[in-house]
Amino acid sequence: MFALLLLLAHFALCSPLSRPHSTSASYTVKESLPAPPPGWAAYSRAPGNHQLKLKIGLTQARFGELEQALWEVSTPGHERYGMHLGKEEVEELVKPLEDSLALVDAWLEEHGIPLSALSRSPAQDWVTLMLPVSAAEQLLNTEYHVFRHTPSGDYLVRALQYSLPAHLHAHIDVIQPSTTFARLQPKRRSLHGERISLGSSAAAIPTSCNSTITPACLKEIYNVGTYTPSATSGNILGIAGYLEEWANINDTNWFLQTFVPEAAAQGYMFSVELINNGTNSQNESEAGGEANLDVQTTAGLSYPIPNIYYSTGGSPPFTPDLNTPTDTNEPYAEFLAYIQGKTDAELPRSLTTSYGDDEQTVPYSYAVRVCNEFAQLGARGVSVMFSSGDGGVGDGLGPNDQAYGPTTCYTNDGKNTSTFLPGFPASCPYVTAVGGTYREGPEWAVPFSGGGFSKYFSQPSYQALAVGTYLAQNPAYVSMYEGLFNPFGRAYPDVSAQSNNFTVNLGGEWVLEAGTSASCPTFTGIISLVNDHLITNGRPALGFLNPWLYAEGHYGFNDITIGNNPGCYTNGFNATVGWDPVTGWGTPDFGKIAQIVWPY
Ligand SMILES: *[C@@H]1O[C@H](CO)[C@@H](O)[C@H](O)[C@H]1NC(C)=O
Ligand SMILES: *[C@@H]1O[C@H](CO)[C@@H](O)[C@H](O)[C@H]1NC(C)=O
Ligand SMILES: *[C@@H]1O[C@H](CO)[C@@H](O)[C@H](O)[C@H]1NC(C)=O
Ligand SMILES: *[C@@H]1O[C@H](CO)[C@@H](O)[C@H](O)[C@H]1NC(C)=O
Ligand SMILES: *[C@@H]1O[C@H](CO)[C@@H](O)[C@H](O)[C@H]1NC(C)=O
Ligand SMILES: *[C@@H]1O[C@H](CO)[C@@H](O)[C@H](O)[C@H]1NC(C)=O
Ligand SMILES: *[C@@H]1O[C@H](CO)[C@@H](O)[C@H](O)[C@H]1NC(C)=O
């Protein structure tokens, strides 16, 4: 589709991407890609003076123990259930061996990099340094190129492979930016966003939650009843924002005046924390469709629980023609470093992120490392939610953004075989992935609801029974879709929520928005209420949800049994009784969940 063969031929003939430099240590390849992912093409050599913010992930010596602790504190019935780890305890479990630190330091010094130029994460498991491309090429025995993403016109400075001295392979998990081509994208359906007018009568009373969604609809459909949370329990709801998506305060105030007047009367508003030189412009014409959807949805449900919008800077575009030495670092890693640095009291108890990308655009080693960071947050008692994606079993990037689209459903391993396209971070077993529904009485699976099976992460034991049951009861899929999905992979979504026709105030206009970008903050809002119920009763917050969800939490969910999630020229999977890879366990019933976790 994107003329990759031509590109490969071009490289083979005239531009080898990795020309060995002469170095003393014996270098061997640490990571390589057969070709840039679909949609990406090499544009030029990277300017030698382009500054990279290189992040070296040192091997986390005791991650197995951290993972064990995560299962124990997250599994109901275990004697450690709810006994979340503190910041220092987690750091102790992920810090690298002394050997790793010493060997990596020696290698950097050998290349003329003074140790004073390095910054380190609190656990010392990440080393960060600014380095021009020319020096990074020597260090990693590679060549950096500018790559262009044809559909969007974005540019990235990346390498198709890099090498390390053989003796360092066991001490370094990953070095980025190098082979990561992921473009963190908002999971918001671009085909929606049409303007509407609200009637002058009190819009707080929805005419029909069957077609358009307001906070009152969500409270009704998810059985919130008259539950009133506390503003002061210490519970915080976090919203991650990237890509200069700006959350507008005036719009959100208008939204609250209209739908949650008591919140507006109290002057309730999300607060903002800026990360990595992030910004949050309040220019009305720059209000972010994704950001406003996220903050208005959570505020509408969770008032008066404090909400924090984290705006992380440091993203493309990089403009090669201007030869700007712009940093093209992954904003993700910056956010994670910031949030890991929070004290236990400052950490949000629930965190919603409506951004992601195809799993295969994230190199395996980096996906594993990022996924492990979510395990650290889970061990500290944070419920981490991600949108499951908006392309059904594909990525929805076909013509007209239709879930049925033909598209990019091919592997990126050089073999170009047909495949479904699982999304990351939804496919990480340490996060809770949120799919989408629409309508009510009953709710249906929305056709774009992202779902499927990871090719990177094996099926965690907490979901083996549920997923095994689904495949046993729908054996046709295993044969019909043979080779397209990995039946032994981590399956998602775990849950779902409303995701279509959300009423949002954007730049002073009322618009309708859709996507698992809407369901993720919705579900997070409900979980924040459950956490409030627990905390005000002196109980620990839910923390990492999945072991609880698959063991007993699912009894508090509305099972969704209608609909399917087409993609890649197939009908995708069917929603069925019990767990399914379209809607997970279904949508939350606050009243029932509250009774399950702490009867009142
Ligand atoms: C992969 O195969 C499809 C279908 O045959 C083709 O359209 C596409 O161009 C191929 N892509 C690459 C990179 O070879
Ligand atoms: C979304 O809302 C519009 C405007 O109210 C309505 O025409 C449309 O049918 C709704 N879509 C769905 C799927 O309910
Ligand atoms: C802010 O919102 C109000 C509605 O609450 C609107 O009348 C006003 O024009 C908005 N202000 C700006 C600067 O956009
Ligand atoms: C933020 O911007 C300032 C001034 O431009 C710069 O000195 C600093 O390095 C930047 N910080 C980060 C984390 O990029
Ligand atoms: C607001 O943003 C628009 C669009 O980016 C821009 O044209 C305008 O100049 C900005 N207004 C102010 C006051 O900065
Ligand atoms: C929602 O719409 C569906 C299909 O049109 C209908 O069967 C159902 O009764 C409606 N639900 C409500 C609560 O109006
Ligand atoms: C999925 O559901 C549709 C509609 O109910 C049905 O026709 C189809 O046979 C189901 N597919 C499988 C594999 O069960």
Side-chain angles (χ1 to χ4, degrees):
M1 183 173 182
F2 296 112
L4 276 178
L5 285 175
L6 203 71
L7 177 75
L8 281 173
H10 169 79
F11 286 151
L13 290 176
C14 45
S15 176
L17 277 188
S18 182
R19 184 180 300 129
H21 298 273
S22 54
T23 46
S24 51
S26 68
Y27 272 68
T28 52
V29 173
K30 174 71 176 171
E31 187 113 50
S32 72
L33 298 178
W40 290 94
Y43 176 85
S44 66
R45 275 299 299 273
N49 65 350
H50 173 79
Q51 291 286 322
L52 292 173
K53 190 175 198 175
L54 216 57
K55 285 194 165 291
I56 304 176
L58 277 68
T59 305
Q60 299 173 326
R62 297 165 65 192
F63 184 77
E65 288 172 65
L66 178 98
E67 191 192 28
Q68 182 60 30
L70 172 68
W71 300 137
E72 292 177 2
V73 301
S74 313
T75 304
H78 194 280
E79 60 188 13
R80 290 180 73 187
Y81 183 57
M83 298 170 70
H84 302 127
L85 278 62
K87 179 171 185 284
E88 283 76 23
E89 285 172 282
V90 166
E91 282 166 13
E92 188 60 29
L93 291 178
V94 300
K95 78 175 185 202
L97 296 173
E98 289 300 325
D99 258 13
S100 303
L101 287 164
L103 289 169
V104 170
D105 283 359
W107 169 59
L108 294 173
E109 283 188 300
E110 225 173 81
H111 279 81
I113 299 161
L115 297 186
S116 59
L118 311 179
S119 59
R120 299 180 197 273
S121 62
Q124 314 231 66
D125 55 336
W126 286 100
V127 172
T128 305
L129 63 154
M130 295 298 297
L131 212 57
V133 159
S134 54
E137 289 182 337
Q138 293 286 337
L139 188 68
L140 304 176
N141 196 23
T142 184
E143 280 184 6
Y144 276 88
H145 287 249
V146 177
F147 290 88
R148 183 166 186 271
H149 187 243
T150 317
S152 66
D154 284 353
Y155 295 92
L156 282 178
V157 172
R158 293 292 185 268
L160 287 186
Q161 68 163 54
Y162 68 95
S163 299
L164 292 176
H167 73 280
L168 289 182
H169 281 236
H171 300 279
I172 293 177
D173 277 345
V174 66
I175 300 187
Q176 294 296 343
S178 56
T179 50
T180 296
F181 282 82
R183 295 167 61 253
L184 204 58
Q185 290 298 296
K187 292 297 169 196
R188 194 167 58 98
R189 302 278 293 172
S190 53
L191 72 166
H192 291 264
E194 66 241 48
R195 293 185 161 75
I196 53 166
S197 54
L198 291 187
S200 53
S201 63
I205 295 140
T207 48
S208 174
C209 301
N210 223 356
S211 61
T212 54
I213 294 294
T214 60
C217 287
L218 295 175
K219 286 184 176 173
E220 173 201 298
I221 298 172
Y222 298 134
N223 191 23
V224 171
T226 55
Y227 185 81
T228 311
S230 151
T232 54
S233 67
N235 187 17
I236 298 169
L237 185 157
I239 303 138
Y242 298 94
L243 308 172
E244 305 195 327
E245 274 286 338
W246 291 316
N248 193 281
I249 289 169
N250 195 52
D251 289 351
T252 302
N253 189 41
W254 193 346
F255 177 90
L256 291 174
Q257 278 174 20
T258 308
F259 296 119
V260 197
E262 66 277 22
Q266 295 291 318
Y268 177 72
M269 189 48 59
F270 59 85
S271 59
V272 178
E273 294 186 19
L274 303 176
I275 302 164
N276 195 39
N277 283 349
T279 49
N280 195 41
S281 163
Q282 290 304 302
N283 179 335
E284 280 275 352
S285 54
E286 294 179 340
E290 177 66 64
N292 276 22
L293 171 64
D294 293 349
V295 296
Q296 290 173 18
T297 300
T298 58
L301 281 171
S302 70
Y303 158 77
I305 295 166
N307 283 203
I308 302 178
Y309 184 67
Y310 301 104
S311 179
T312 304
S315 55
F318 161 75
T319 314
D321 302 321
L322 301 177
N323 209 13
T324 41
T326 317
D327 178 30
T328 54
N329 195 42
E330 265 264 296
Y332 234 21
E334 302 294 343
F335 171 72
L336 282 166
Y338 174 85
I339 207 86
Q340 309 279 20
K342 292 264 178 204
T343 65
D344 297 331
E346 294 167 341
L347 265 188
R349 294 340 302 182
S350 56
L351 179 64
T352 176
T353 309
S354 293
Y355 301 74
D357 201 353
D358 294 350
E359 185 183 72
Q360 67 170 359
T361 65
V362 186
Y364 175 75
S365 63
Y366 191 54
V368 167
R369 188 58 185 250
V370 168
C371 184
N372 287 356
E373 305 273 337
F374 296 127
Q376 294 172 47
L377 285 177
R380 290 181 66 188
V382 183
S383 306
V384 179
M385 266 66 73
F386 275 89
S387 303
S388 72
D390 292 348
V393 294
D395 65 4
L397 295 181
N400 309 319
D401 191 24
Q402 294 304 299
Y404 290 92
T407 106
T408 48
C409 297
Y410 298 102
T411 61
N412 178 36
D413 56 0
K415 296 185 186 130
N416 196 36
T417 47
S418 292
T419 181
F420 288 162
L421 290 172
F424 182 80
S427 69
C428 167
Y430 310 129
V431 309
T432 299
V434 186
T437 62
Y438 67 148
R439 300 183 178 168
E440 65 156 335
E443 288 178 80
W444 294 30
V446 75
F448 58 69
S449 185
F453 295 73
S454 175
K455 298 209 163 181
Y456 282 179
F457 299 99
S458 58
Q459 215 160 79
S461 61
Y462 64 70
Q463 67 171 190
L465 178 62
V467 178
T469 301
Y470 180 82
L471 291 177
Q473 288 179 351
N474 299 274
Y477 289 129
V478 179
S479 46
M480 202 159 75
Y481 295 155
E482 195 181 350
L484 294 177
F485 79 101
N486 165 23
F488 307 106
R490 182 298 200 243
Y492 70 95
D494 302 296
V495 297
S496 50
Q498 288 284 324
S499 60
N500 201 28
N501 267 359
F502 274 50
T503 310
V504 172
N505 193 284
L506 181 62
E509 312 249 21
W510 292 102
V511 299
L512 294 176
E513 295 198 12
T516 50
S517 274
S519 56
C520 195
T522 298
F523 180 74
T524 304
I526 299 291
I527 289 301
S528 191
L529 296 181
V530 176
N531 278 335
D532 181 84
H533 167 61
L534 285 166
I535 294 168
T536 52
N537 281 290
R539 308 297 305 161
L542 285 171
F544 175 45
L545 296 176
N546 296 5
W548 162 81
L549 173 71
Y550 284 79
E552 61 181 45
H554 66 88
Y555 292 115
F557 281 67
N558 309 305
D559 196 1
I560 309 300
T561 59
I562 311 172
N564 58 306
N565 58 350
C568 302
Y569 279 139
T570 74
N571 288 322
F573 296 103
N574 280 353
T576 58
V577 172
W579 180 90
D580 56 70
V582 192
T583 59
W585 285 107
T587 61
D589 180 314
F590 172 77
K592 282 190 190 165
I593 296 173
Q595 286 294 338
I596 290 172
V597 299
W598 191 249
Y600 58 96

